[in-house]
Amino acid sequence: MSVTIRRATAHDEAVLVAFNTLIAWETEHKRLDPAVLTAGVRAVLADPARGFYTVAELNGEVVGQMMITFEWSDWRNGWFWWIQSVYVSEPARRSGVFRALYRTIERHAAADPTVIGLRLYFERDNTRAQATYRAIGMADTAYGLMEVYPLPGRDSHVS
């Protein structure tokens, strides 16, 4: 069984929206507003400055995704690529799909001299995901994550 990795295109919008819907439910038990999510996926697909999606295919079917967004580090004079919106469909899990997505992103990042590292965040209770990330060579950091969301007076579009 051979996994093919490629950049997502506008033709992948429906599956990206579906996978993001599943991610939100599986990881946080949140229901996303479909119109907001679709607009968000469409915005990334239309504007490379926002990021990009990479998808994994098995036998011509998209079975996994990974979105990359960018963070500039003035301290290090380079870009961190943030791995986000990771999803592998249930039947394709534990078959190397995530590893293939990750290794492809890692190779692309390493080939770009302006990219200095890869980062991701995860749910604290998702120990399986954390073990997977450590197994591919990622390490815990001293940083935590805090947020103000939604901003006062704005709707979260999540329930």
Side-chain angles (χ1 to χ4, degrees):
M1 179 163 53
S2 178
V3 179
T4 302
I5 307 298
R6 64 174 175 78
R7 283 278 178 106
T9 69
H11 296 338
D12 298 306
E13 179 183 304
V15 74
L16 296 172
V17 169
F19 283 178
N20 278 303
T21 300
L22 292 167
I23 295 165
W25 184 251
E26 284 184 25
T27 61
E28 301 180 37
H29 285 73
K30 292 182 178 178
R31 297 196 189 281
L32 304 179
D33 179 321
V36 171
L37 173 58
T38 300
V41 167
R42 195 171 287 156
V44 171
L45 292 171
D47 182 1
R50 294 177 191 259
F52 62 90
Y53 281 96
T54 301
V55 294
E57 291 182 334
L58 283 174
N59 303 319
E61 178 186 355
V62 175
V63 296
Q65 73 176 35
M66 182 179 287
M67 183 178 72
I68 301 299
T69 59
F70 315 111
E71 173 193 3
W72 179 255
S73 173
D74 55 347
W75 286 13
R76 296 176 181 98
N77 190 33
W79 291 103
F80 279 98
W81 281 7
W82 277 86
I83 297 170
Q84 299 188 58
S85 300
V86 174
Y87 187 79
V88 176
S89 65
E90 279 284 341
R93 290 182 186 167
R94 298 288 189 220
S95 66
V97 171
F98 169 76
R99 184 175 296 272
L101 283 162
Y102 177 81
R103 293 294 181 219
T104 299
I105 291 303
E106 185 180 52
R107 276 193 311 278
H108 287 290
D112 183 336
T114 68
V115 179
I116 57 172
L118 300 173
R119 288 181 168 165
L120 60 78
Y121 55 87
F122 51 83
E123 289 293 314
R124 287 183 195 156
D125 296 334
N126 193 341
T127 55
R128 189 167 109 183
Q130 292 173 52
T132 298
Y133 302 145
R134 287 184 190 105
I136 60 169
M138 298 193 91
D140 294 299
T141 70
Y143 295 105
L145 177 69
M146 294 184 163
E147 70 178 12
V148 173
Y149 176 80
L151 287 172
R154 296 195 184 161
D155 184 13
S156 72
H157 304 288
V158 176
S159 60

